[in-house]
Amino acid sequence: MKPVLCFGEVLWDAFGETKKAGGAPMNVAWHLKQQGAAVSFASSVGRDASGDELADFLEQSGLYSDLVQQDDTLPTCEVTVQLDEHGHATYIIPQPVSWDNIRVTDTLLNAARNASAIIFGSLACRGTQTRDTLHELLSESNTLTVFDVNLRAPHYDRDTIHTLAARAHVVKMNEDEAELLIGKGGDLKQKIEEFHGTYHSQTICVTRGDKGAILWHDGKFYEHDGYPAHVVDTVGAGDSFLATLVAGLLNNESPDTILNRACRVGAYVAGQRGANPSYNIAEVEAL
């Protein structure tokens, strides 16, 4: 199968004195690779010590290539992660940083043209340069497009979100993001159908934390109540869910099977420290 192209931010998540490599698109790429998918990752790091360390991490993880650019002027991103008593995370994200300046290259265009899917989020589109690059990639490709809404206040605006949603075959969001895009109150299924009527997405998924997720795919709803987890932190749980969802869609698995596995993997990751624990997908499914 052609590789899945994950496009966007890569960064250090700082938990006090400890830091871990992160960024939603990179996390998704990591989890796709854990699950045996072919994957490529496009981003930018600064030409600094933090960037060198991130490049080393990506190389060790099998995610480094000439799709990872180096920026001579903007620094590598280091995010402060704050966890509440339930392990839920909030983020302080500096701006501008290296991945705000991802540029179009022939290599990147070829990767988009030859991808089985392109996964992108809202955060890297907060600035003009990276947003314009993404739109050019989407215009040059004819493949499955996946929008991970992944809102990080104040780093988004409604016009950008609506534009990205309109270009996506698959849209994944959490409950809070759904309230912003679909509206508060009322019947969620009806609102998802209204969302489809506006954006014509083939697949729409709303994750509901420890209550599982609801999936609309090809005109039919599927639901899962989720799996219990002893939450260490929620960083990366949604990214692992999305990776599992995309892998299942590309393998033409049944939506029920995909949703069950995605909820299981998300619960497993929420029970680990950081976004990218190593695991064997067969072992996770057997838990």
Side-chain angles (χ1 to χ4, degrees):
M1 183 182 291
K2 294 179 179 179
V4 177
L5 174 61
C6 298
F7 174 91
E9 66 270 15
V10 65
L11 48 86
W12 289 109
D13 281 323
F15 302 81
E17 297 299 316
T18 302
K19 66 179 186 179
K20 291 182 176 291
M26 194 281 290
N27 296 341
V28 174
W30 167 281
H31 288 286
L32 282 166
K33 199 166 186 65
Q34 293 281 294
Q35 297 181 32
V39 62
S40 56
F41 174 60
S43 187
S44 179
V45 298
R47 203 174 290 277
D48 48 32
S50 289
D52 291 343
E53 290 173 2
L54 267 183
D56 288 344
F57 170 85
L58 292 171
E59 188 163 14
Q60 293 167 14
S61 304
L63 296 175
Y64 188 81
S65 72
D66 51 5
L67 298 178
V68 180
Q69 302 171 13
Q70 278 195 309
D71 197 285
D72 291 324
T73 57
L74 294 175
T76 301
C77 184
E78 296 195 20
V79 171
T80 301
V81 183
Q82 299 173 327
L83 301 175
D84 66 16
E85 65 272 20
H86 304 295
H88 298 293
T90 55
Y91 307 88
I92 301 173
I93 306 171
Q95 186 179 10
V97 292
S98 53
W99 47 257
D100 286 309
N101 195 36
I102 302 174
R103 297 186 173 274
V104 176
T105 64
D106 290 340
T107 304
L108 185 51
L109 285 172
N110 287 332
R113 292 172 184 139
N114 293 295
S116 60
I118 301 176
I119 301 176
F120 55 92
S122 60
L123 180 56
C125 293
R126 66 183 180 177
T128 303
Q129 177 60 61
T130 297
R131 182 169 66 243
D132 288 349
T133 295
L134 174 62
H135 285 311
E136 185 166 348
L137 298 182
L138 297 178
S139 297
E140 287 288 326
S141 66
N142 183 25
T143 190
L144 185 73
T145 52
V146 181
F147 177 31
D148 179 16
V149 177
N150 195 35
L151 301 183
R152 296 285 180 259
H155 302 284
Y156 64 88
D157 62 78
R158 287 179 179 269
D159 288 344
T160 297
I161 301 306
H162 293 318
T163 300
L164 295 175
R167 304 200 71 168
H169 300 109
V170 180
V171 177
K172 175 257 179 188
M173 51 193 143
N174 63 30
E175 286 182 298
D176 293 336
E177 292 158 350
E179 283 191 354
L180 180 69
L181 292 182
I182 300 175
K184 293 184 178 181
D187 182 73
L188 179 58
K189 290 183 178 180
Q190 180 180 342
K191 289 183 176 297
I192 288 174
E193 289 177 331
E194 292 172 359
F195 184 89
H196 166 71
T198 301
Y199 298 106
H200 311 293
S201 308
Q202 176 186 349
T203 304
I204 302 164
C205 186
V206 178
T207 58
R208 301 184 289 196
D210 59 2
K211 299 187 295 295
I214 182 168
L215 175 70
W216 186 94
H217 179 70
D218 285 344
K220 186 176 179 180
F221 282 101
Y222 304 84
E223 294 184 71
H224 195 284
D225 291 335
Y227 286 95
H230 177 69
V231 176
V232 175
D233 67 60
T234 59
V235 180
D239 303 326
S240 69
F241 180 102
L242 179 60
T244 310
L245 174 66
V246 172
L249 291 172
L250 291 175
N251 288 328
N252 294 312
E253 295 181 291
S254 72
D256 281 327
T257 298
I258 295 170
L259 196 56
N260 175 66
R261 183 185 301 123
C263 287
R264 190 184 293 272
V265 172
Y268 172 81
V269 172
Q272 313 300 312
R273 173 64 68 190
N276 299 309
S278 297
Y279 59 89
N280 179 294
I281 186 63
E283 293 176 352
V284 173
E285 285 194 275
L287 291 174

